[in-house]
Amino acid sequence: MPASVVLGAQWGDEGKGKAIDQLAPNSQWAVRFQGGNNAGHTIVAGGTTLKMHLLPSGITSRDCKLVLGCGMVVDPWVLDRELMEWAELTGEQPEGERLFISERAAVILPFHRLYDSADKIVGTTGRGIGPAYRDRTERVGIRFVDIGLLLGRDSEIGDMARRMNDQLATVGVGDRIDPEQLGSELIWIHERFSNAIRATGPMLDTALNRGEQVLLEGAQGAMLDIDQGTYPFVTSSITCRANATHGAGIHPGHIEQCYGITKAYTTRVGNGPFPTELSLEEGPGKQMSVVGHEFGTTTGRPRRTGWLDAVALNESQRLNGYTGLVVTKLDVLGGLDELKICTSYELDGQEVSHLPSSSEELSRCKPVYETHPGFPAMGEDEWIQIAEESRNGGGIDSLPSEIRSYLSRIEEISGVPVVSVGVGPDRLASIASSGGPFDIELSEATF
Ligand code: GDP
Ligand code: IMO
Ligand code: MG
């Protein structure tokens, strides 16, 4: 059985958590392959809202095994807290039973968080993600497999603390790392997680060879990719399909389906160019923010909002080769007179149809829009009812014609079929294309 990938097609927060939660009942594994707790993936099922930062969103399916893959940077304290919250909610302690941490995943330490706090440019989440990846690239970082070997080697730990303190001084952070405390933190991580640390790449390879289905859960989005995104206003990992298998320790030939998750509009949190950005104070931008509750899942910062940017969407299709698009938060646009899609940019009097590689140039791009008719606003329950009716065989055809033509236009521009449409935060508030990969039985929450 093959692997499927779920990826953010924009600047993150597209609704990846919801899509993974929907697909997980048909998967034996859910795997995070990059990033760390800069991610915030929301699952709304019945009365329960879960916000996952490290735990794969497939955790909601009890038969789904979970992996924090080798491409990740993992903050053990955040993982501990998230596991405690999960245990409080469900009584389950999955670590070592169905949750496994790659030996090769990098460990985020307090130093990385402190160093990240010096960021003044990117508007990072401050979770230590970039500094942890930087240490890995510099080959001075600690991976989970290394911790056991380091314990008791006081002079090595002392050298490590000295290096960290020199770096904190360089960026003007006043706090310092105490070597003894660092030593005891490493002991705690070892004791807390050693039952879950495994060679997860070979585990997944064996599972795939046994015919099991693996779901690869992306974090962030294509436009935040370190190589292909709006550099330097990006995250520190490769967020795209090419890294999905590598960051899980398996080969790319396993991937059969790749789903791109895009909002019906665009949001971005943090700094950086955003050609279709609207005002948060009035009009459609305010509606997207207020109705869409556009606040960062991880940091609570307001997300910037704007019309759908098909130039960016097409770049992400070029990078990821989506087999299906999931268009989320369509409900949020209800009640607007007209909807706009940006189909190209104007830069210095010239029309451009690709994202410039320079963020400085991108920030000077003016969006060129086409306009589509709007559709009426509906309440959450009304949307859920339409979603329920759509499951009687109508699928996306159950939607009003204005919405269908908006979706058809997205398909036409991107060249990718829309396989599911989000019409509310709840697990059940989705309309899948009939017979498509999201046309699966959605159950009520079991926790
Ligand atoms: P992720 O990081 O891609 O998993 O997305 P987030 O969870 O950070 O942000 C998406 C937000 O939109 C969450 O609050 C979801 O509950 C919510 N959401 C997801 N799909 C829909 C939808 O179709 N309609 C509405 N109104 N909200 C949605
Ligand atoms: P999910 O998985 C939205 C953004 C930050 C900042 C930039 C770099 O929930 O979609 P970092 O802390 O990664 O060094 O910050 O990337 N960013 C996200 N934006 N959703 C995310 O994750 C993000 N993870 C990082 O706001 O602009
Ligand atoms: Mg998010």
Side-chain angles (χ1 to χ4, degrees):
M1 285 278 270
S4 302
V5 193
V6 171
L7 298 172
Q10 302 172 300
W11 278 274
D13 302 327
E14 299 89 349
K16 297 175 289 293
K18 178 180 167 189
I20 296 277
D21 168 61
Q22 291 172 335
L23 293 172
N26 291 340
S27 286
Q28 281 74 51
W29 298 81
V31 183
R32 282 276 312 268
F33 58 85
Q34 46 69 233
N37 57 304
N38 46 351
H41 296 177
T42 313
I43 300 162
V44 180
T48 308
T49 298
L50 302 169
K51 292 175 195 280
M52 298 302 183
H53 301 288
L54 283 171
L55 293 172
S57 302
I59 193 166
T60 49
S61 288
R62 284 292 178 115
D63 294 332
C64 195
K65 294 187 227 23
L66 311 167
V67 172
L68 304 183
C70 50
M72 285 189 76
V73 287
V74 178
D75 184 323
W77 291 272
V78 175
L79 182 58
D80 181 50
R81 197 163 59 235
E82 214 158 276
L83 284 166
M84 270 185 328
E85 285 166 8
W86 179 255
E88 269 170 36
L89 181 71
T90 64
E92 189 199 12
Q93 290 181 303
E95 55 272 39
E97 299 291 328
R98 68 171 176 125
L99 169 71
F100 307 104
I101 306 165
S102 169
E103 293 176 337
R104 291 174 178 270
V107 181
I108 296 182
L109 293 167
F111 159 68
H112 299 113
R113 280 184 243 124
L114 288 170
Y115 194 89
D116 205 7
S117 70
D119 164 62
K120 300 272 184 303
I121 295 168
V122 180
T124 70
T125 59
R127 300 301 191 259
I129 307 298
Y133 275 119
R134 193 193 61 157
D135 273 4
R136 191 170 80 154
T137 302
E138 227 178 304
R139 284 142 296 164
V140 294
I142 300 176
R143 301 169 306 158
F144 281 91
V145 71
D146 304 323
I147 296 178
L149 307 172
L150 259 176
L151 298 182
R153 293 196 195 166
D154 291 344
S155 80
E156 253 177 76
I157 294 173
D159 288 346
M160 210 174 268
R162 241 187 317 281
R163 175 181 56 79
M164 291 171 174
N165 288 333
D166 288 348
Q167 295 190 358
L168 291 174
T170 309
V171 292
V173 173
D175 302 70
R176 292 291 173 266
I177 301 302
D178 172 51
E180 267 179 40
Q181 191 174 341
L182 178 57
S184 36
E185 284 164 351
L186 293 175
I187 293 170
W188 174 78
I189 300 168
H190 187 66
E191 288 174 353
R192 174 70 181 88
F193 294 112
S194 54
N195 71 332
I197 298 166
R198 302 287 161 86
T200 53
M203 270 173 101
L204 289 168
D205 184 60
T206 306
L208 282 158
N209 292 335
R210 265 202 309 261
E212 295 179 5
Q213 175 78 36
V214 174
L215 200 48
L216 299 163
E217 174 173 351
Q220 292 81 53
M223 294 298 110
L224 289 172
D225 185 283
I226 179 87
D227 293 332
Q228 304 291 341
T230 51
Y231 188 91
F233 304 100
V234 290
T235 192
S236 304
S237 62
I238 297 173
T239 59
C240 288
R241 174 180 183 161
N243 189 36
T245 43
H246 199 66
I250 52 177
H251 68 71
H254 289 296
I255 296 182
E256 197 157 84
Q257 300 296 330
C258 180
Y259 305 115
I261 318 297
T262 174
K263 283 178 186 167
Y265 49 96
T266 307
T267 63
R268 162 160 218 176
V269 57
N271 303 334
F274 181 179
T276 64
E277 185 166 19
L278 295 166
S279 165
L280 286 178
E281 305 301 321
E282 57 184 10
K286 183 177 181 187
Q287 170 159 336
M288 292 164 192
S289 168
V290 173
V291 181
H293 303 292
E294 295 295 359
F295 293 89
T297 311
T298 297
T299 58
R301 292 179 290 179
R303 295 179 186 140
R304 301 152 66 193
T305 58
W307 294 115
L308 183 65
D309 184 341
V311 181
L313 185 61
N314 282 345
E315 298 290 354
S316 87
Q317 160 61 4
R318 170 175 63 82
L319 297 165
N320 291 317
Y322 302 124
T323 56
L325 279 183
V326 175
V327 179
T328 62
K329 304 194 88 161
L330 194 81
D331 51 302
V332 172
L333 300 181
L336 294 172
D337 295 337
E338 50 185 34
L339 309 177
K340 294 189 185 206
I341 300 179
C342 165
T343 50
S344 62
Y345 304 141
E346 193 204 297
L347 175 63
D348 302 334
Q350 304 273 343
E351 186 165 346
V352 287
S353 52
H354 291 283
L355 222 76
S357 304
S358 143
S359 277
E360 195 277 324
E361 279 188 359
L362 184 58
S363 68
R364 287 192 285 113
C365 283
K366 302 269 178 294
V368 177
Y369 288 119
E370 58 180 35
T371 303
H372 297 261
F375 56 89
M378 283 185 266
E380 217 167 297
D381 291 345
E382 280 174 284
W383 279 115
I384 292 210
Q385 201 182 332
I386 296 181
E388 264 163 25
E389 282 161 17
S390 79
R391 290 193 262 280
N392 295 328
I396 289 176
D397 290 340
S398 330
L399 284 163
S401 63
E402 297 87 354
I403 300 183
R404 275 187 282 128
S405 63
Y406 186 68
L407 295 170
S408 298
R409 186 64 184 131
I410 295 174
E411 289 186 325
E412 193 176 70
I413 297 172
S414 65
V416 187
V418 172
V419 291
S420 177
V421 182
V423 293
D426 197 88
R427 176 189 281 178
L428 302 178
S430 280
I431 296 172
S433 64
S434 265
F438 280 77
D439 188 5
I440 38 189
E441 203 156 321
L442 300 172
S443 56
E444 300 282 345
T446 49
F447 42 82

